[in-house]
Amino acid sequence: MATAVLELKAIDRQFTQGAKVLRILEGADFTLNSGETVALVAPSGTGKSTLLHIAGLLEHADSGEVTVNGQSCTGLSDDKRTAIRRREIGFVYQFHHLLPEFTALENVMMPQLIAGLPPKEAQERAAQLLDYLKIGKRADHRPAELSGGEQQRVAIARAVANAPLVLLADEPTGNLDPATAGYVFEALEALVRQSGLAAMIATHNEELARRMDRCVTLRDGKIVEIDVKGGR
């Protein structure tokens, strides 16, 4: 039986630009179940990043409720939201945001050390993740010494280092050429399937979207299901 690990209920979010009000989300509802992959496909400027930031507790909605692993995050302090985010949610961005002065291994160790894991255990898990993503031989290299695809695989390893329940990815292959994008997505998909993660991945790439379990878009402020496998 599927377990809901992320729920958005009646989410509203708007921004004011001068005298103009931009309504990004209006009563948006969404459920992400354990072990499933969902593609978020929508044009630029429609609020994909805003939606991911609200889902990942990086940004507050104007109204509505975000529930992570059964816990409502509405009204929680920033410290408690941060604790849930660190424990339950992993992020991958279009730009890898790796720390340039640290090696690939040290970058993957970092969130584990922050969470209080002993260095030896953090190192072992980081090495396992890099091996799984077929980049273990580059563990001692700094980001500047890695290719774009290698950097993004390190970023994926870092995102799941603390074994989160939810992975949110914002155009994780958007900076890569098609062949490298396909390879990185295969690595991401295999990791999600193997670990039972729930993943919501924003992408412009419909070929990648077709490989996921479900596909949604943003329409009139709502999150709606679409069919990219057999035509909308």
Side-chain angles (χ1 to χ4, degrees):
M1 183 176 175
T3 302
V5 292
L6 173 67
E7 293 179 274
L8 307 181
K9 299 176 183 176
I11 298 294
D12 290 337
R13 187 71 172 107
Q14 64 183 38
F15 298 95
T16 302
Q17 290 186 343
K20 189 176 182 181
V21 175
L22 301 175
R23 300 186 185 280
I24 305 299
L25 299 170
E26 292 189 78
D29 297 310
F30 176 72
T31 299
L32 181 64
N33 294 312
S34 60
E36 76 168 344
T37 57
V38 176
L40 173 59
V41 179
S44 298
T46 54
K48 292 197 303 295
S49 294
T50 297
L51 172 60
L52 290 173
H53 288 171
I54 290 172
L57 307 181
L58 289 169
E59 188 175 322
H60 289 270
D62 295 324
S63 62
E65 183 178 32
V66 179
T67 302
V68 179
N69 196 24
Q71 180 174 359
S72 174
C73 301
T74 304
L76 292 182
S77 68
D78 286 342
D79 285 347
K80 288 182 178 179
R81 286 167 63 92
T82 297
I84 292 172
R85 187 169 63 244
R86 284 180 177 167
R87 187 174 64 246
E88 310 284 16
I89 302 170
F91 291 91
V92 183
Y93 300 96
Q94 181 173 353
F95 301 98
H96 56 78
H97 296 301
L98 298 173
L99 299 171
E101 65 271 30
F102 295 105
T103 66
L105 184 73
E106 290 165 342
N107 267 279
V108 181
M109 288 175 62
M110 199 65 63
Q112 300 176 78
L113 296 174
I114 291 171
L117 204 69
K120 188 172 185 297
E121 289 182 38
Q123 182 175 352
E124 288 174 357
R125 175 159 172 79
Q128 288 171 356
L129 284 167
L130 291 174
D131 282 341
Y132 187 83
L133 291 167
K134 299 179 181 178
I135 195 175
K137 292 180 180 178
R138 309 285 278 166
D140 293 331
H141 290 69
R142 287 182 170 80
E145 301 170 307
L146 303 174
S147 69
E150 289 170 338
Q151 290 170 345
Q152 202 61 322
R153 275 181 280 160
V154 175
I156 291 167
R158 181 183 59 184
V160 300
N162 283 335
L165 291 175
V166 178
L167 180 68
L168 302 174
D170 194 356
E171 297 286 354
T173 61
N175 267 349
L176 307 175
D177 64 81
T180 305
Y183 187 81
V184 168
F185 184 79
E186 282 176 14
L188 175 58
E189 186 179 36
L191 189 61
V192 167
R193 302 296 185 197
Q194 184 269 341
S195 64
L197 263 171
M200 186 178 192
I201 302 171
T203 180
H204 280 104
N205 189 325
E206 289 199 2
E207 183 181 340
L208 298 184
R210 280 193 288 270
R211 294 163 57 172
M212 298 189 220
D213 297 322
R214 290 194 287 135
C215 198
V216 297
T217 191
L218 290 168
R219 191 174 293 153
D220 299 324
K222 301 285 195 296
I223 303 167
V224 297
E225 199 112 4
I226 58 174
D227 178 11
V228 296
K229 296 182 181 182
R232 282 184 176 77

